[in-house]
């Protein structure tokens, strides 16, 4: 397993977020991104998780709710990657994948687009 400090991994996530086009980040709404050490025990190889209500499903009822949550998991990412460059790539793919869920894009479509 590769070793990386939490701070360095968080910086990779921040760098990946910085690559999202401004026209998309402007319309992201009520979403927070977190780095977690490990995913839920029932899915130990999960690299990221979006929890919330996608923008495409929000209606007039959507008010006063807690922010959507995007979690990027450090442990499984470092275990699956063989070198630091692969970590950079995998973090970028995972961040884009989870943000796409915020925009209502499902896993099937993401796989078709190469972001699976």
């Amino acid at each position: 397993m590769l070793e990386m400090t939490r701070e360095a991994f968080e910086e990779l996530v921040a760098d990946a977020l910085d690559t999202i086009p401004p026209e998309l980040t402007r319309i992201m709404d009520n979403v927070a991104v977190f780095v977690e050490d490990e995913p839920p025990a029932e899915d130990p190889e999960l690299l990221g998780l979006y929890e919330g209500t996608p923008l495409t499903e929000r209606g007039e009822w959507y008010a006063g709710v807690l922010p959507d949550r995007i979690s990027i998991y450090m442990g499984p990412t470092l275990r699956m990657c063989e070198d630091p460059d692969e970590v950079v790539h995998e973090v970028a793919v995972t961040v884009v994948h989870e943000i796409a869920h915020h925009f209502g894009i499902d896993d099937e479509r993401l796989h078709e687009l190469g972001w699976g």
Side-chain angles (χ1 to χ4, degrees):
M1 179 169 119
L2 286 175
E3 292 197 22
M4 180 178 285
T5 66
R6 171 78 175 240
E7 293 78 22
F9 192 85
E10 287 174 352
E11 189 171 317
L12 293 180
V13 171
D15 290 346
L17 288 167
D18 287 344
T19 67
I20 304 300
E23 54 273 13
L24 292 179
T25 57
R26 276 195 294 275
I27 58 176
M28 289 175 66
D29 183 47
N30 200 32
V31 61
V33 179
F34 298 92
V35 170
E36 303 287 344
D37 291 330
E38 295 294 334
E42 62 270 9
D43 201 352
E45 296 180 9
L46 191 66
L47 303 181
L49 180 64
Y50 169 76
E51 299 171 286
T53 304
L55 294 174
T56 55
E57 296 178 17
R58 296 180 184 179
E60 291 180 18
W61 59 269
Y62 188 85
V65 299
L66 292 174
D68 292 2
R69 180 181 181 97
I70 292 174
S71 298
I72 307 298
Y73 300 112
M74 184 172 154
T77 303
L78 294 179
R79 286 191 293 275
M80 76 170 286
C81 294
E82 295 183 13
D83 60 56
D85 289 337
E86 192 176 352
V87 175
V88 171
H89 173 75
E90 199 56 57
V91 166
V93 168
T94 303
V95 167
V96 168
H97 183 104
E98 300 310 330
I99 288 174
H101 287 320
H102 176 69
F103 285 102
I105 302 171
D106 65 18
D107 281 330
E108 181 179 334
R109 182 66 178 136
L110 284 167
H111 284 276
E112 290 171 4
L113 295 170
W115 294 100

